[in-house]
Amino acid sequence: MFTNNQRQLERTGRYGTSRLQYLQELVNQFQNASENETKEKILANLANFAYDPYNYNFLRQLNVLELFLDCITEPNEKLIEFGVGGICNCCVDPVNAAIITGAGGIPLIIQCLSSPVRNTVNYALGALYYICNESNKEEVLKPEVVDVIKRYAAAEEVSVSFSNLAKAFLDKHLSGN
């Protein structure tokens, strides 16, 4: 559920932890964690906060978008999944999308299209759907990327979600070609 300042105040009370402080604590815990399972849980939590526009400024302030991108480069499939999931959740916002693309996120998201983890592929397709625009379409719409997305679009029997997301991407970004 999306929130606002009034709802946040009602939920946390007069002496509760502010959202910024809470997110900062999560980032600190992630950075100080040594166990993969702990990092996975914290990153999943951060990714869940990334869908609410109320949190966008906080996430940008705390460099969480860059943290999501860093996690995509990890060998741990869960960190990759939650990293690209966080990207997908927040990239509908043009400011977030610009930060992600400016930080080299497009090739990282594209590499997630070949993940063995279904959620990772779904998140990558969703992120590319929102991130692709006039300023970066040459980078996103490379023939090899379009080919992969077309194969997902044709794979209804394998995964309806892959197919539907891929078809939506193609309709939005290649309908004029």
Side-chain angles (χ1 to χ4, degrees):
M1 176 173 216
F2 296 139
T3 196
N4 57 42
N5 288 332
Q6 179 61 36
R7 186 165 187 277
Q8 190 59 31
L9 183 61
E10 291 168 1
R11 292 184 65 198
T12 58
R14 179 182 253 165
Y15 304 107
T17 303
S18 73
R19 180 63 56 91
L20 177 61
Q21 183 181 355
Y22 181 74
L23 291 171
Q24 177 67 68
E25 289 172 10
L26 286 176
V27 170
N28 291 343
Q29 288 173 14
F30 181 87
Q31 291 170 335
N32 294 324
S34 57
E35 298 291 323
N36 273 337
E37 186 176 344
T38 302
K39 285 185 165 196
E40 292 164 6
K41 288 177 183 177
I42 295 167
L43 193 65
N45 202 349
L46 286 168
N48 284 335
F49 279 102
Y51 81 90
D52 190 340
Y54 179 80
N55 298 317
Y56 290 168
N57 283 328
F58 304 136
L59 296 173
R60 290 191 289 260
Q61 186 177 343
L62 298 171
N63 297 314
V64 174
L65 305 180
E66 292 84 350
L67 176 67
F68 290 149
L69 290 173
D70 287 343
C71 289
I72 294 174
T73 67
E74 293 290 324
N76 179 319
E77 288 294 340
K78 284 286 187 193
L79 291 179
I80 295 169
E81 175 186 349
F82 298 140
V84 75
I87 296 288
C88 181
N89 285 349
C90 70
C91 72
V92 67
D93 178 75
V95 175
N96 291 342
I99 290 169
I100 292 161
T101 58
I106 291 174
L108 297 174
I109 296 166
I110 288 171
Q111 83 183 29
C112 291
L113 292 174
S114 61
S115 172
V117 179
R118 285 181 180 249
N119 283 342
T120 299
V121 174
N122 277 329
Y123 295 143
L125 286 166
L128 289 173
Y129 176 90
Y130 288 110
I131 283 178
C132 185
N133 61 39
E134 284 301 315
S135 68
N136 62 35
K137 71 179 185 178
E138 286 184 21
E139 185 177 7
V140 176
L141 299 177
K142 292 178 182 175
E144 61 272 19
V145 176
V146 172
D147 182 54
V148 168
I149 293 173
K150 284 181 176 179
R151 281 187 278 150
Y152 283 133
E156 282 182 357
E157 292 80 31
V158 176
S159 173
V160 172
S161 64
F162 287 0
S163 180
N164 288 343
L165 281 166
K167 287 176 183 175
F169 177 92
L170 295 170
D171 286 347
K172 180 178 180 182
H173 298 294
L174 291 177
S175 61
N177 295 349

